[in-house]
Amino acid sequence: MVRAFSLPLLSLAAASTPPEPSPPQPPRRRTTVLRSTLGKSSPFLKPSARFTVGPAPVAPVEVAPPPAPLVSVSELRQRITPARRDSLPEPVISYTALGAKSFISAGSGGPTVLFESGLGHGKEVWGSIFNDISAVTHAVAYDRAGYGQSEASSQSRDGLQILRELRALLEAEEIKPPYILVGHSLGGTIMKLFARTYPNEVAGVVLVDARHAEFAKRCKQIGVHRLWYEPPSLLFALSPSATRAELAAAPQTMRQARRAGPFPTVPLIVLTQDQAARKWPERLGKVWEASQRNMAKMSRLGRMKVINDSGHNIHHDQPDMVTTAILSVLAAAQYALARGKNKPLSIE
């Protein structure tokens, strides 16, 4: 009878295989311990000195990955589906520690684009712009206290209080930084205050016909009539309570924006109307244009763009120009974040 020899044969085969060479040993290091003179009589005493000779271990060198390729605005636009522009997402109520807020959220990826509306307007004003941006990254728009379905507030409606409430919403909904901030008019001032107060959370900023904090002061200096740069008193009486409260707190919001910290070095685009130069009194138009250029200089990566055939509401008159500006900042911010925060990318 023939017995099976499979296991012994395998064992012999394994035994006949030459052993693998052992890995090279690191160079030996010798440690010399010098004990105190009382070492023999007091062995519990610790060594008084320790000297190590020999080559020190070399830490492995980490090779940084190559920077991510720059995604152009045209490539981002190819991701936008026209069907997405029909209607905004359904609003959601967030019950935060500082009141209930109505907001919309759509898209994925980052950085998250945060929209802040102007005085008297809610999240709906962003319309197709919001849908376009949510096709390429995460986008969020909301109603401030007293607007739309958001709960009214008895607190002061100054910029810092509005920021506290916005950040309470972001925390409750776990919407993490970094953010690209987009603000129109007074909303632009609030977003400037956000960027100056929390610079490490900001990846880029787009200001849509926002007002410079020193604009009114400069108008007074050159003798421009108050009706040209301050809302008339009748507007206070006819406006909803939330708008009146924000108008009343606007001077305080401007002071807060002036006194906040430095603006971060992030991609910044300042969009401004062309009617300031074409239809306003000459002196007023020059002050407005100069103030807009100064805002663009807040960041060394900033620039200003005059939007033709547009009034104050650029997002209504020329929405595609606003979308293009946001996509430009988004592309620059994504590249900068991919290769490291210490190497910001300028906007081409």
Side-chain angles (χ1 to χ4, degrees):
M1 182 176 62
V2 180
R3 295 183 179 179
F5 290 96
S6 58
L7 290 178
L9 287 174
L10 288 173
S11 300
L12 289 173
S16 63
T17 304
E20 296 182 0
S22 58
Q25 298 296 322
R28 298 195 174 199
R29 308 181 71 211
R30 178 168 56 85
T31 299
T32 302
V33 177
L34 301 181
R35 298 186 178 275
S36 65
T37 56
L38 299 177
K40 293 183 179 180
S41 59
S42 303
F44 57 86
L45 291 178
K46 295 182 178 180
S48 60
R50 182 183 295 267
F51 298 92
T52 302
V53 296
V58 179
V61 178
E62 296 184 0
V63 179
L70 176 62
V71 179
S72 66
V73 174
S74 60
E75 289 175 310
L76 290 175
R77 275 197 174 277
Q78 291 176 3
R79 306 178 194 174
I80 298 174
T81 305
R84 296 179 63 98
R85 309 185 72 172
D86 294 341
S87 59
L88 289 171
E90 287 294 323
V92 178
I93 301 297
S94 177
Y95 296 92
T96 77
L98 297 178
K101 294 290 187 295
S102 173
F103 76 101
I104 53 177
S105 173
S108 61
T112 294
V113 177
L114 294 180
F115 290 89
E116 187 73 67
S117 306
L119 182 69
H121 296 288
K123 58 186 180 298
E124 290 80 9
V125 298
W126 297 106
S128 63
I129 299 172
F130 180 92
N131 288 335
D132 287 348
I133 298 304
S134 66
V136 298
T137 192
H138 185 213
V140 174
Y142 80 110
D143 290 328
R144 295 192 293 273
Y147 289 85
Q149 297 153 313
S150 290
E151 181 181 3
S153 173
S154 59
Q155 298 291 326
S156 170
R157 307 317 302 151
D158 61 273
L160 285 178
Q161 178 61 29
I162 291 172
L163 278 187
R164 294 186 194 102
E165 296 171 5
L166 170 57
R167 292 176 62 79
L169 166 65
L170 298 174
E171 181 179 356
E173 300 301 323
E174 298 184 350
I175 302 171
K176 307 293 185 182
Y179 309 115
I180 290 178
L181 310 177
V182 181
H184 169 244
S185 192
L186 179 65
T189 302
I190 295 170
M191 287 313 199
K192 283 189 295 180
L193 183 59
F194 190 125
R196 291 178 181 274
T197 308
Y198 307 100
N200 293 332
E201 299 183 6
V202 179
V205 180
V206 177
L207 301 178
V208 184
D209 218 50
R211 182 168 171 169
H212 194 286
E214 300 284 350
F215 177 68
K217 178 181 178 180
R218 180 58 180 153
C219 287
K220 290 179 183 177
Q221 291 175 343
I222 65 172
V224 176
H225 196 281
R226 185 181 184 278
L227 288 177
W228 282 106
Y229 60 86
E230 294 290 356
S233 301
L234 183 61
L235 186 60
F236 281 88
L238 299 178
S239 299
S241 58
T243 304
R244 292 199 305 270
E246 289 181 351
L247 274 171
Q252 183 179 358
T253 300
M254 295 295 176
R255 287 193 297 271
Q256 292 168 347
R258 289 195 297 268
R259 297 170 182 173
F263 198 88
T265 304
V266 295
L268 164 67
I269 293 183
V270 176
L271 301 179
T272 185
Q273 58 174 306
D274 69 335
Q275 290 187 6
R278 293 190 297 108
K279 297 184 177 181
W280 290 10
E282 183 179 1
R283 288 188 300 172
L284 182 66
K286 288 183 177 180
V287 173
W288 179 263
E289 183 178 358
S291 68
Q292 297 289 296
R293 293 191 183 281
N294 284 336
M295 282 198 298
K297 295 176 182 178
M298 292 187 300
S299 169
R300 64 181 178 86
L301 305 180
R303 64 183 177 90
M304 186 187 85
K305 173 68 175 177
V306 178
I307 306 301
N308 296 328
D309 302 321
S310 177
H312 180 54
N313 295 318
I314 301 174
H315 52 304
H316 287 167
D317 300 335
Q318 299 288 349
D320 282 345
M321 299 301 296
V322 179
T323 296
T324 299
I326 299 173
L327 293 178
S328 298
V329 169
L330 175 63
Q334 286 179 337
Y335 186 85
L337 291 169
R339 69 176 190 170
K341 291 183 178 180
N342 294 330
K343 298 179 181 179
L345 181 72
S346 62
I347 304 169
E348 300 298 337

